[in-house]
Amino acid sequence: GQQTILSHCFRRSPGFFDVVTYKGTGSSTNISHNLGVAPELMLVKTRDTSGAWVVYSSNVGETGALYLNSPGDVDTGDYYWNDTAPSAQQFTVGTLNQVNRSNIQYVAYLFSTLPGISKVGSYTGTGNDINIDCEFLAGARFVMIKRTNGTGDWYIWDSARGIVSGNDPYVLLNTTDGNVTGTDYIDPLSVGFTVTSSAPAAINASGGEYLFLAIA
């Protein structure tokens, strides 16, 4: 039967998004990029072999990482980013095979906050509705959320499937499950988006810490 497929595409743009490829050395290495600002979110994966997506987030910091294919908590260690925060010119990879195995090719997707276009940020859960101000003019069309102080799936919503005042379909990046409907975990907000009181602990636990990427 027919299947519906949704693809999210981003164009390289200074201050918003950049794509970098590099060859691993096995030793801590600086990788140049063209984002023009320090990346706040980086997704890194090997291109030569099967492997995990390793995630740097500025609210987690340079001493640890998350995995895009896992709901797990932050893993700490200097083998990810050599305890070095990225700059406007480069980022650093440590000695872990997932980010820097000798003679292996890698790709890195870099995101940052560009006023009115994108927002990489964080919030603390309350269990009540939370308005997330991204300084947008007409709300977010793409939202990704992950808990950083505990386990929690990687949630994605987009306006193509619907970010509305009612139920909002989502997919989980760390599973092969299909589209999930019948839940109202986020709502539209002119300056960004709202995390609702209906959201589970993976999105809105009281005292929970969360990272997000929103695109206008």
Side-chain angles (χ1 to χ4, degrees):
Q2 290 186 336
Q3 293 182 332
T4 300
I5 298 174
L6 183 66
S7 176
H8 299 108
C9 299
F10 305 106
R11 185 174 63 183
R12 295 175 70 184
S13 179
F16 163 50
F17 176 62
D18 191 26
V19 181
V20 176
T21 59
Y22 64 93
K23 187 175 183 179
T25 65
S27 301
S28 179
T29 303
N30 296 326
I31 310 297
S32 297
H33 65 79
N34 294 298
L35 190 60
V37 295
E40 298 170 85
L41 181 70
M42 303 191 298
L43 316 177
V44 180
K45 188 182 184 301
T46 173
R47 301 166 61 201
D48 289 345
T49 63
S50 61
W53 287 90
V54 181
V55 181
Y56 166 86
S57 173
S58 56
N59 65 308
V60 169
E62 62 272 16
T63 61
L66 295 158
Y67 285 87
L68 200 64
N69 50 295
S70 168
D73 201 349
V74 174
D75 183 47
T76 58
D78 60 4
Y79 37 77
Y80 289 109
W81 322 114
N82 199 38
D83 289 349
T84 305
S87 72
Q89 293 79 37
Q90 63 186 26
F91 63 93
T92 304
V93 288
T95 57
L96 191 73
N97 281 350
Q98 282 92 332
V99 297
N100 192 16
R101 183 178 178 181
S102 180
N103 294 317
I104 296 295
Q105 299 290 336
Y106 294 85
V107 62
Y109 298 99
L110 282 54
F111 294 88
S112 193
T113 297
L114 183 61
I117 302 298
S118 61
K119 177 67 175 180
V120 180
S122 63
Y123 64 89
T124 301
T126 65
N128 302 310
D129 286 1
I130 307 172
N131 291 333
I132 308 298
D133 186 352
C134 302
E135 301 183 356
F136 294 163
L137 296 178
R141 292 190 294 167
F142 174 97
V143 177
M144 179 178 73
I145 299 175
K146 169 71 173 80
R147 186 169 185 173
T148 58
N149 69 335
T151 60
D153 294 311
W154 292 84
Y155 287 77
I156 281 187
W157 295 265
D158 58 69
S159 57
R161 289 172 300 152
I163 297 177
V164 297
S165 58
N167 293 339
D168 317 280
Y170 67 82
V171 292
L172 303 176
L173 291 182
N174 54 287
T175 77
T176 58
D177 296 343
N179 204 40
V180 179
T181 59
T183 61
D184 184 19
Y185 294 163
I186 70 170
D187 278 339
L189 182 69
S190 60
V191 294
F193 63 98
T194 297
V195 179
T196 72
S197 59
S198 301
I203 305 169
N204 191 9
S206 180
E209 298 295 332
Y210 304 88
L211 69 83
F212 71 86
L213 167 65
I215 299 173

